[in-house]
Amino acid sequence: MGLTEAIVYAIKQCPVNMQPHLYNNIVIIGGSSKFQNFKERIIKDVRSCAPDECNINVYRPEDPIVEAWKGGQLLAGWPGYQNTRVTRSEYEENGPSVCARKLYDSIPVNNT
């Protein structure tokens, strides 16, 4: 599976009503995103796989190499982060399902 297929596959795993928003907000980071015409290639390739009615927008931050670290910094500063961490022993005891359970249990639900 190539990068374009991975992007489209990931978007198609989400609820249908969210998919147009995700096609319109693709973010590419990492050193490879700095290759010449990389962004334009992603736009062209995703456009060929996406529904015609969806807008395709690809954003590359000014310094895409450090952007993942910035995201990690934001996550670590999130007040609920401590409740989402999975220790090695928890993972070994419960398997991968503990990751989803801890993440979903930590998301506040607004029932109003």
Side-chain angles (χ1 to χ4, degrees), residues 18-66:
M18 290 183 64
Q19 291 179 18
H21 303 289
L22 297 172
Y23 280 114
N24 198 38
N25 290 290
I26 298 169
V27 179
I28 53 174
I29 60 172
S32 298
S33 70
K34 294 180 85 172
F35 290 153
Q36 185 176 6
N37 298 321
F38 185 80
K39 176 181 171 181
E40 292 77 13
R41 173 77 184 268
I42 295 294
I43 292 169
K44 179 174 87 55
D45 291 352
V46 170
R47 171 75 276 151
S48 70
C49 299
D52 291 337
E53 65 274 7
C54 291
N55 292 324
I56 307 300
N57 184 40
V58 176
Y59 171 73
R60 188 189 82 196
E62 190 173 315
D63 189 355
I65 295 173
V66 299

Side-chain angles (χ1 to χ4, degrees), residues 44-98:
K44 179 174 87 55
D45 291 352
V46 170
R47 171 75 276 151
S48 70
C49 299
D52 291 337
E53 65 274 7
C54 291
N55 292 324
I56 307 300
N57 184 40
V58 176
Y59 171 73
R60 188 189 82 196
E62 190 173 315
D63 189 355
I65 295 173
V66 299
E67 208 62 26
W69 290 102
K70 289 180 182 179
Q73 180 182 25
L74 286 172
L75 177 62
W78 174 53
Y81 174 68
Q82 297 300 321
N83 300 328
T84 64
R85 292 185 309 157
V86 175
T87 66
R88 181 180 187 144
S89 62
E90 287 175 311
Y91 187 86
E92 289 173 347
E93 181 179 334
N94 301 294
S97 64
V98 71

Side-chain angles (χ1 to χ4, degrees), residues 78 80 83-84 100-110:
W78 174 53
N83 300 328
T84 64
R101 181 177 47 79
K102 285 189 121 186
L103 175 64
Y104 293 123
D105 288 350
S106 69
I107 298 172
V109 176
N110 184 356

